[in-house]
Amino acid sequence: QVKVVPSGGGLVQAGGSLTLSCAASGLTFDENDMAWFRQAQGKEREGIACISMSGANTLYVDSVKGRFTITKDNAKNTLYLQMNNLKPEDTAMYYCALDVKWRWNISRLSLDDAKYWGQGAQVTVSS
């Protein structure tokens, strides 16, 4: 049984930073691609960053490229999302996704591509 425990999130001013993490058990981390999705109020959930099983490859949507960094610690079975220079438009519920189908075009990443989900973490960025 796979168990996913997210942490992080909160309220931050524009220009600030936050780190999200998802610790998992029951899953071999270095055998799975993973991703972060987010869902703003009234919008569909979208994949914003993904990382390959070894961590060697990462992909980002243009809106977060250069500001967000996805990493994973296979020894600790933990996935991270470091978010810098946050903007009000980053306000959303953020979800980690484990055992994800790799898409070289991240815009094609869909909800059906992820097998396991963490509970969402709210990120609110004030202007």
Side-chain angles (χ1 to χ4, degrees):
Q1 183 179 358
V2 175
K3 185 177 180 180
V4 184
V5 181
S7 62
L11 174 65
V12 64
Q13 288 188 330
S17 298
L18 282 174
T19 300
L20 305 178
S21 64
C22 272
S25 59
L27 186 75
T28 306
F29 244 58
D30 60 4
E31 294 180 359
N32 289 275
D33 300 326
M34 299 179 179
W36 286 95
F37 285 69
R38 70 182 179 186
Q39 186 169 17
Q41 193 168 8
K43 295 188 177 181
E44 292 185 352
R45 193 177 302 186
E46 63 167 345
I48 59 169
C50 56
I51 186 167
S52 62
M53 57 185 70
S54 69
N57 295 298
T58 56
L59 295 172
Y60 301 91
V61 294
D62 287 344
S63 59
V64 307
K65 198 174 294 182
R67 299 187 298 120
F68 290 12
T69 303
I70 183 172
T71 57
K72 63 202 295 270
D73 187 328
N74 289 336
K76 295 183 178 179
N77 278 16
T78 304
L79 177 70
Y80 302 96
L81 185 68
Q82 174 67 42
M83 304 181 290
N84 297 327
N85 190 21
L86 282 159
K87 304 176 180 180
E89 52 264 42
D90 294 318
T91 295
M93 190 74 77
Y94 285 71
Y95 300 88
C96 62
L98 312 183
D99 193 358
V100 172
K101 184 176 181 177
W102 186 260
R103 301 279 189 185
W104 282 107
N105 183 347
I106 194 172
S107 65
R108 293 184 179 272
L109 193 63
S110 73
L111 303 184
D112 292 337
D113 290 332
K115 189 171 183 179
Y116 304 106
W117 292 92
Q119 289 183 327
Q122 179 66 40
V123 172
T124 303
V125 185
S126 62
S127 57

